[in-house]
């Protein structure tokens, strides 16, 4: 990727590298900026078990009219992974607030997927991060959350860490594949699985599940009515990870929030319906004014 006035970098699916680094309180964070430095800023947050790679299309499109920031959270993608690392929602919310200060962004627009939705909400509600606009895409935000598989792994993560590499690869591959409704391109699936392989990646995969505690969203769920920026919630109608009923529940808790349902898309809306999601984000982020 590169920072340029055209702002879209390479169009290659495989050309996605984060060239910048920030030493956060939870380890090194890899990040990148696309687009005109003078354009309105937008920050994209990925979820779990993903990375900034899922935002490659949206980032390049949004960079035509925005200054776009992407990053891999500590413990994810190409950012640092190490034993004893704090990759909890509490840590990620703090790190995001740190990054906003590092980037000198006083009030960017924010687009956050899955676990990243909770990170953005915690940074806003607990750490004073201000956003011009906030778009949440199939976010982890409401209790109860965590599939039976997710809970099983969390309770026995030390056992799963010891799986032979080929069985671990198969497990992660099947798990990530289930986030898509129509199915992922094999090359894309490989790219999403790769960070979780090897001596650092395999324990990191189970570490982030072990530290995923619903208490971190319980802490803020009662405050959603005080979310200040205009909010849109985008949701894949075929999401098998977090049912679409949660979309309606979340919107009902935030005065003035809007809901955009994406037909034919599962949890990974960025992969299943990039055009529909991109159009919804472009409309919302480009809307004039700050009122709801």
């Amino acid at each position: 990727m590169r920072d340029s006035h055209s702002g879209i970098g390479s169009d290659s699916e495989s050309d996605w590298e984060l060239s910048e680094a920030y030493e956060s309180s939870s380890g090194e964070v890899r990040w990148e900026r696309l687009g005109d430095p003078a354009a309105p800023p937008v920050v994209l947050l990925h979820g779990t078990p993903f990375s900034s790679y899922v935002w490659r299309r949206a980032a390049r499109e949004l960079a035509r009219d925005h200054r776009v920031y992407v990053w891999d959270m500590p413990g994810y993608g190409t950012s640092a992974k190490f034993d004893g690392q704090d990759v909890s929602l509490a840590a990620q919310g703090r790190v995001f607030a740190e990054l906003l200060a590092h980037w000198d962004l006083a009030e960017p627009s924010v687009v956050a997927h899955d676990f990243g939705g909770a990170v953005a909400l915690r940074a806003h509600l607990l750490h004073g991060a201000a956003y011009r606009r906030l778009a949440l895409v199939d976010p982890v935000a409401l209790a109860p959350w965590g599939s039976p598989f997710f809970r099983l792994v969390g309770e026995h993560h030390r056992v799963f860490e010891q799986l032979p590499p080929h069985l671990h690869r198969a497990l992660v591959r099947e798990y990530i594949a289930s986030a898509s409704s129509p199915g992922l391109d094999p090359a894309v699936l490989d790219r999403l699985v790769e960070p979780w392989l090897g001596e650092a990646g395999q324990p990191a995969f189970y570490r982030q599940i072990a530290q995923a505690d619903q208490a971190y969203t319980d802490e803020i769920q009662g405050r959603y009515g005080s979310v200040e920026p205009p909010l849109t919630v985008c949701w894949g109608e075929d999401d098998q990870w977090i049912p679409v009923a949660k979309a309606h529940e979340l919107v009902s808790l935030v005065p003035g929030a809007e809901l955009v349902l994406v037909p034919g898309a599962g949890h990974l809306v960025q992969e299943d319906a990039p055009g529909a999601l991109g159009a919804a984000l472009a409309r919302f982020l480009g809307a004039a004014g700050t009122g709801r």
Side-chain angles (χ1 to χ4, degrees):
M1 291 186 294
R2 66 177 183 271
D3 185 26
S4 69
H5 286 283
S6 64
I8 59 173
S10 169
D11 290 327
S12 170
E13 284 286 301
S14 62
D15 181 20
W16 186 259
E17 295 183 7
L18 308 183
S19 65
E20 302 290 340
Y22 168 72
E23 194 60 44
S24 82
S25 56
S26 282
E28 184 184 79
V29 169
R30 304 295 300 185
W31 65 275
E32 187 62 89
R33 185 180 71 180
L34 298 81
D36 184 347
V42 177
V43 185
L44 307 181
L45 284 71
H46 67 80
T48 182
F50 311 112
S51 69
S52 62
Y53 180 71
V54 300
W55 286 121
R56 64 197 180 282
R57 296 190 189 97
R60 287 163 174 155
E61 287 302 314
L62 288 173
R64 297 181 186 276
D65 301 301
H66 298 84
R67 179 180 14 142
V68 180
Y69 293 80
V70 292
W71 60 296
D72 287 348
M73 295 183 194
Y76 293 79
T78 56
S79 289
K81 304 178 182 73
F82 53 86
D83 188 41
Q85 185 178 23
D86 188 352
V87 295
S88 67
L89 273 170
Q92 305 292 4
R94 290 193 302 268
V95 169
F96 185 43
E98 292 174 26
L99 272 174
L100 292 176
H102 175 67
W103 292 330
D104 195 25
L105 297 181
E107 195 176 2
S109 292
V110 169
V111 180
H113 176 240
D114 180 78
F115 181 90
V119 173
L121 287 166
R122 285 184 64 90
H124 175 60
L125 294 170
L126 301 181
H127 302 291
Y131 311 141
R132 187 181 75 88
R133 289 180 174 270
L134 176 61
L136 300 177
V137 183
D138 296 65
V140 173
L142 300 170
W145 54 268
S147 67
F149 166 80
F150 202 84
R151 291 193 293 270
L152 176 67
V153 172
E155 293 168 3
H156 304 284
H157 63 100
R158 293 297 183 190
V159 175
F160 280 90
E161 285 177 24
Q162 299 174 51
L163 283 174
H166 68 285
L167 292 180
H168 166 73
R169 178 195 290 266
L171 182 152
V172 175
R173 191 176 182 87
E174 287 301 313
Y175 178 53
I176 291 177
S178 70
S180 169
S181 179
L184 295 171
D185 179 279
V188 170
L189 182 55
D190 286 344
R191 185 66 183 259
L192 294 175
V193 170
E194 192 276 332
W196 302 118
L197 306 180
E199 292 184 4
Q202 182 163 339
F205 178 78
Y206 300 110
R207 184 182 305 120
Q208 52 91 18
I209 294 179
Q211 294 184 27
D213 192 330
Q214 184 182 295
Y216 295 123
T217 54
D218 289 345
E219 185 179 2
I220 58 173
Q221 185 170 330
R223 300 175 62 177
Y224 291 164
S226 63
V227 168
E228 293 182 359
L231 174 70
T232 191
V233 175
C234 301
W235 213 284
E237 286 189 335
D238 298 336
D239 190 337
Q240 298 301 305
W241 283 22
I242 310 178
V244 72
K246 290 293 181 184
H248 296 279
E249 182 181 351
L250 179 58
V251 167
S252 73
L253 296 176
V254 183
E258 68 169 12
L259 176 60
V260 177
L261 298 180
V262 184
H267 189 68
L268 266 179
V269 186
Q270 305 96 318
E271 301 295 338
D272 291 357
L277 178 61
L281 293 177
R283 177 190 57 77
F284 179 68
L285 297 174
T290 58
R292 295 189 189 279

